[in-house]
Amino acid sequence: MCGIAGYFGEKENTDKVLISILEKLEYRGYDSAGIAIKQGKKIVFEKATGELKNLKEKLKGVEFEKGGLGIAHTRWATHGKPSVTNAHPHRQGRVYLVHNGIIENYKEIESFLKKRGYKFSTDTDTEKVAALFDYNLKQEKDSQKAFEKTLKALRGAFAIVAFVEDENQLFLARLSSPLVVGVSEKDFYIASDALALSNFSKRVIYLDDFDYALVGGFGFRHFSFKDGKQKTSKIEDFDESLTSAEKGNFDSFMLKEIYEQPDSIYSSIAGRIKNGRAVLGGLKDVEKELESAKEIHFVAAGTSFNATLAVKDLFESLGVPVFNLLASEAKYSKARVREGTVAFFISQSGETADTKEALKKYKEAGALCLGITNTVASSIARETHAGVYNHAGPEISVASTKAFSSQIAVLILIYAKIKELKLGLERKDKTLLKELQILPDILKKEIKKIDKKAKEIAKALKKANSMYTLARAGELALAFESALKIKEISYIHAEGYPSGELKHGPIALIEKDFPVLMFFGNELYEKTFSNAQEVKARGAYLISVLDKTHKDAKKISDRYFELNYIKSKANIILQSLPLQLLAYHLAKEKGLNVDKPRNLAKSVTVE
Ligand code: F6R
């Protein structure tokens, strides 16, 4: 959570650089923001609650020169409620500091420092880090040593950028929380995410875990706080495609990203299907292990977890046990990793703390760990043994849409690869790959019609405060994903359930006009139809996602999305358009900010 920005240089307006970076990071948190800029001896220090525009308002009329240094932050509260006091940067003594992550031993640090005369005015862990750095500055003559000593004393996860009021340099550090530096001659731009640097520099240095750096008139100096040794920095070229992170003509990133799906699916599979076979360069070196895989585990959170549910049945057809595990639970699982366990870690951001933690456990237990991420050089991409990128392009909206569909597309390719290695491809697998290839065109044709329908249905549902989203077997992932998407952006309570479970309890809630969103698959159509009749008999308001051949279901539905189903598993991506667009329109009908739902942030980098 939280977004960090920093700048040291000569040629830019420091305030403008920092605000521009924060604007691109607002998706990481937006409950408060703050800035500290040092130009010569003058320091401007401002904070505001709410969205970034409130901070910008406070900075109006403040005179800035070109160059200097500065740090800034957009926050998603972990320690302490959103308030001006708790907003970053935090100042203690000579130190100004911003931080992303969680410091686990902040209580110990606090009592150590209280005994030495420090007073604290915020509820944050970050303020304690600033104070510890300030304390160490008094103990050590050299500020680099003081910074290194501070970092060594911290337990937890952090990305930190700081400055000392009477020095002209920035202090940077990373442990389990991303930090990137854009380089342009004598100017350095710092952010939690390379995407946010796109306006400034195409050459970047990624800090690794246990790295720290000093940035100043001397340039960029790179060290490890594990052993104190200097490192050689690797400057990498920044992926041009990331610069497309603008809303364009859409009113929100969410809608833009929903509409991008024909293109993002295309990019996810481009060059990866040749002569009816899946070709995945990222898995080339682990083909032997895939062939002999005895168990497949999928570990992920939220929408990424739902994407793994969408392909569970497909992977089960490989004849090996398949486990779908929520990362927040998997990291505590006592289940043994057996010989031949292949574990996939699926994460749009590649930075989700729960997924990273589970990955650590699986690695220690000796599993082959493979990543599926949408973010190049993210922690999960680097820490897994091998993997596949989604190539869906940057996803900015907090509510994940195009990442979900591209994860399913990539998982289908991985299934086809393992199937080929283990059992050989059958005709149905080739059909599956072919249908995946034509899917972008199908989505393009259907999307406007679905959008229009979703808008009408959302109008009918906007007064609802509770609903069920139901499906069976192969479509179950859609029931869970609809409930998640509807809850997170429209704040309507939605509960995803296997429709066969209705009679075991949930049906008690059904009464006149209770909304039920039901997904009909071709497989188990009759059974789902019976469940639809059961809820209709009790007065439910039935909204169905169905195929044009599902005539009976259409008859009993109050509203429906009628699609032209394709036969294979690729169909689930088509079926997910109605749920994404319905959630979007429900939020719009209620006048909510779809890109910035309350209490949420895009990357959940805290456990
Ligand atoms: C919901 C949503 C979240 C994420 C989850 C995992 O729309 O976006 O549920 O899917 O936080 O994030 P990643 O995929 O980045 O690990």
Side-chain angles (χ1 to χ4, degrees):
M1 303 295 169
C2 307
I4 286 181
Y7 172 71
F8 180 97
E10 292 175 354
K11 59 180 186 215
E12 310 266 10
N13 289 315
T14 310
D15 58 316
K16 295 217 168 64
V17 175
L18 293 175
I19 294 290
S20 157
I21 296 177
L22 285 191
E23 274 167 350
K24 291 226 158 99
L25 291 174
E26 255 198 306
Y27 73 89
R28 298 176 70 92
Y30 35 80
D31 62 39
S32 54
I35 202 162
I37 293 177
K38 174 171 167 7
Q39 290 177 320
K41 287 203 170 136
K42 183 177 140 197
I43 293 179
V44 175
F45 184 28
E46 273 302 348
K47 311 197 224 184
T49 51
E51 293 179 29
L52 194 53
K53 56 180 189 242
N54 302 341
L55 177 66
K56 284 203 252 178
E57 198 55 42
K58 277 196 167 172
L59 290 174
K60 264 191 190 153
V62 182
E63 299 268 328
F64 291 99
E65 296 156 19
K66 269 199 189 342
L69 61 85
I71 60 178
H73 191 267
T74 176
R75 179 168 188 251
W76 185 86
T78 53
H79 286 88
K81 63 179 193 306
S83 67
V84 170
T85 320
N86 287 337
H88 299 214
H90 287 285
R91 184 189 173 189
Q92 276 281 351
R94 292 157 65 207
V95 172
Y96 292 78
L97 186 141
V98 291
H99 159 229
N100 179 17
I102 284 189
I103 304 299
E104 286 162 7
N105 57 337
Y106 80 100
K107 283 269 176 218
E108 287 160 40
I109 298 173
E110 182 176 11
S111 69
F112 171 84
L113 292 168
K114 272 187 173 162
K115 285 182 203 137
R116 284 152 185 86
Y118 278 86
K119 292 203 167 52
F120 295 99
S121 55
T122 79
D123 309 318
T124 68
D125 49 354
T126 309
E127 192 192 17
K128 283 72 185 182
V129 181
L132 185 62
F133 185 17
D134 182 68
Y135 172 78
N136 287 332
L137 281 169
K138 292 178 192 154
Q139 311 301 309
E140 303 284 337
K141 284 209 180 74
D142 177 29
S143 54
Q144 179 181 348
K145 271 208 186 116
F147 189 53
E148 196 180 301
K149 196 169 166 188
T150 307
L151 300 173
K152 281 186 170 152
L154 304 180
R155 270 207 324 272
F158 50 83
I160 288 172
V161 185
F163 69 84
V164 177
E165 67 181 7
D166 46 358
E167 291 189 11
N168 270 327
Q169 59 182 338
L170 289 176
F171 297 81
L172 281 53
R174 165 193 166 135
L175 179 63
S176 297
S177 193
L179 201 59
V180 190
V181 182
V183 183
S184 165
E185 294 168 28
K186 291 182 175 161
D187 286 50
F188 298 90
Y189 308 85
I190 298 144
S192 321
D193 179 340
L195 192 63
L197 301 176
S198 58
N199 288 345
F200 303 108
S201 176
K202 304 237 177 314
R203 301 175 68 229
V204 293
I205 302 171
Y206 293 96
L207 261 65
D208 276 324
D209 282 348
F210 297 101
D211 280 4
Y212 79 93
L214 306 181
V215 176
F218 46 79
F220 184 86
R221 291 195 189 137
H222 201 154
F223 304 89
S224 157
F225 61 89
K226 230 183 200 171
D227 56 17
K229 290 203 177 121
Q230 187 150 10
K231 293 181 68 170
T232 314
S233 315
K234 195 170 129 210
I235 302 186
E236 299 179 35
D237 283 331
F238 178 60
D239 184 351
E240 287 278 345
S241 66
L242 297 183
T243 53
S244 68
E246 306 291 340
K247 259 193 278 199
N249 294 329
F250 291 92
D251 70 354
S252 61
F253 279 109
M254 183 181 180
L255 190 61
K256 173 186 174 246
E257 288 159 10
I258 292 174
Y259 267 84
E260 263 172 10
Q261 289 178 103
D263 294 332
S264 54
I265 299 285
Y266 178 79
S267 314
S268 297
I269 61 170
R272 289 173 163 173
I273 302 174
K274 286 188 189 143
N275 304 322
R277 300 167 50 231
V279 180
L280 295 166
L283 300 183
K284 192 112 207 62
D285 294 342
V286 294
E287 287 189 358
K288 262 207 184 101
E289 289 91 333
L290 292 177
E291 188 184 343
S292 58
K294 293 206 172 59
E295 259 181 28
I296 293 178
H297 293 212
F298 292 114
V299 183
T303 289
S304 298
F305 172 77
N306 291 339
T308 75
L309 285 181
V311 293
K312 185 175 169 63
D313 52 355
L314 202 56
F315 277 78
E316 278 171 340
S317 73
L318 294 166
V320 293
V322 177
F323 300 93
N324 300 62
L325 297 134
L326 284 165
S328 53
E329 293 294 318
K331 62 187 182 181
Y332 304 116
S333 168
K334 300 273 186 301
R336 254 188 328 126
V337 166
R338 285 163 234 279
E339 207 191 315
T341 297
V342 175
F344 288 92
F345 297 82
I346 302 91
S347 170
Q348 188 287 128
S349 61
E351 299 296 347
T352 299
D354 289 328
T355 316
K356 275 164 60 180
E357 199 54 34
L359 165 60
K360 221 189 263 168
K361 296 270 152 66
Y362 269 79
K363 253 175 127 178
E364 281 163 15
L368 174 71
C369 297
L370 305 174
I372 302 175
T373 86
N374 193 35
T375 312
V376 175
S378 58
S379 301
I380 290 173
R382 288 147 174 260
E383 286 158 24
T384 40
H385 297 117
V388 183
Y389 282 120
N390 290 124
H391 294 317
E395 190 181 67
I396 306 296
S397 165
V398 167
S400 181
T401 53
K402 68 172 179 173
F404 175 71
S405 52
S406 86
Q407 284 163 341
I408 297 174
V410 165
L411 283 161
I412 290 176
L413 293 178
I414 294 174
Y415 154 78
K417 183 80 251 170
I418 304 181
K419 178 76 190 290
E420 183 191 342
L421 291 166
K422 269 188 172 302
L423 307 163
L425 290 177
E426 291 172 61
R427 186 190 290 181
K428 68 176 175 35
D429 301 315
K430 296 205 166 163
T431 308
L432 170 64
L433 293 182
K434 253 197 212 132
E435 292 197 341
L436 197 55
Q437 284 177 300
I438 57 166
L439 189 66
D441 286 337
I442 296 176
L443 298 182
K444 223 176 249 167
K445 259 191 230 137
E446 299 279 326
I447 196 161
K448 281 215 170 107
K449 192 178 84 189
I450 298 173
D451 190 3
K452 199 167 155 234
K453 223 347 137 10
K455 197 170 176 182
E456 281 167 33
I457 297 177
K459 275 196 198 326
L461 284 188
K462 73 173 179 196
K463 294 229 166 73
N465 50 27
S466 186
M467 65 189 283
Y468 281 146
T469 57
L470 306 176
R472 270 177 184 268
E475 269 86 19
L476 191 54
L478 298 171
F480 294 138
E481 180 57 7
S482 332
L484 174 58
K485 213 94 299 170
I486 291 170
K487 268 191 283 242
E488 72 178 323
I489 60 166
S490 77
Y491 313 149
I492 293 172
H493 170 251
E495 205 176 333
Y497 239 98
S499 54
E501 277 294 296
L502 265 184
K503 55 190 170 302
H504 298 292
I507 203 162
L509 281 195
I510 306 284
E511 57 182 354
K512 189 164 162 9
D513 294 334
F514 187 88
V516 172
L517 174 65
M518 182 90 83
F519 292 88
F520 288 87
N522 283 332
E523 200 193 339
L524 303 180
Y525 168 73
E526 266 94 33
K527 299 234 180 264
T528 313
F529 181 63
S530 311
N531 300 135
Q533 284 176 311
E534 283 159 16
V535 295
K536 271 311 288 175
R538 287 156 181 88
Y541 187 80
L542 181 67
I543 305 131
S544 302
V545 177
L546 43 74
D547 177 49
K548 58 181 187 319
T549 59
H550 297 158
K551 298 217 161 72
D552 297 334
K554 205 159 102 179
K555 260 189 227 143
I556 62 163
S557 300
D558 293 281
R559 301 278 180 147
Y560 54 85
F561 292 93
E562 187 177 23
L563 308 177
N564 283 318
Y565 280 11
I566 50 177
K567 288 196 185 65
S568 69
K569 178 51 90 181
N571 193 49
I572 201 150
I573 297 178
L574 173 63
Q575 288 167 299
S576 62
L577 286 183
L579 79 87
Q580 296 172 343
L581 284 159
L582 182 61
Y584 165 82
H585 283 294
L586 282 170
K588 290 300 280 185
E589 279 298 325
K590 294 178 76 180
L592 300 168
N593 184 340
V594 285
D595 282 339
K596 290 180 183 164
R598 73 181 172 213
N599 302 340
L600 292 174
K602 182 69 179 158
S603 300
V604 188
T605 57
V606 289
E607 286 182 58

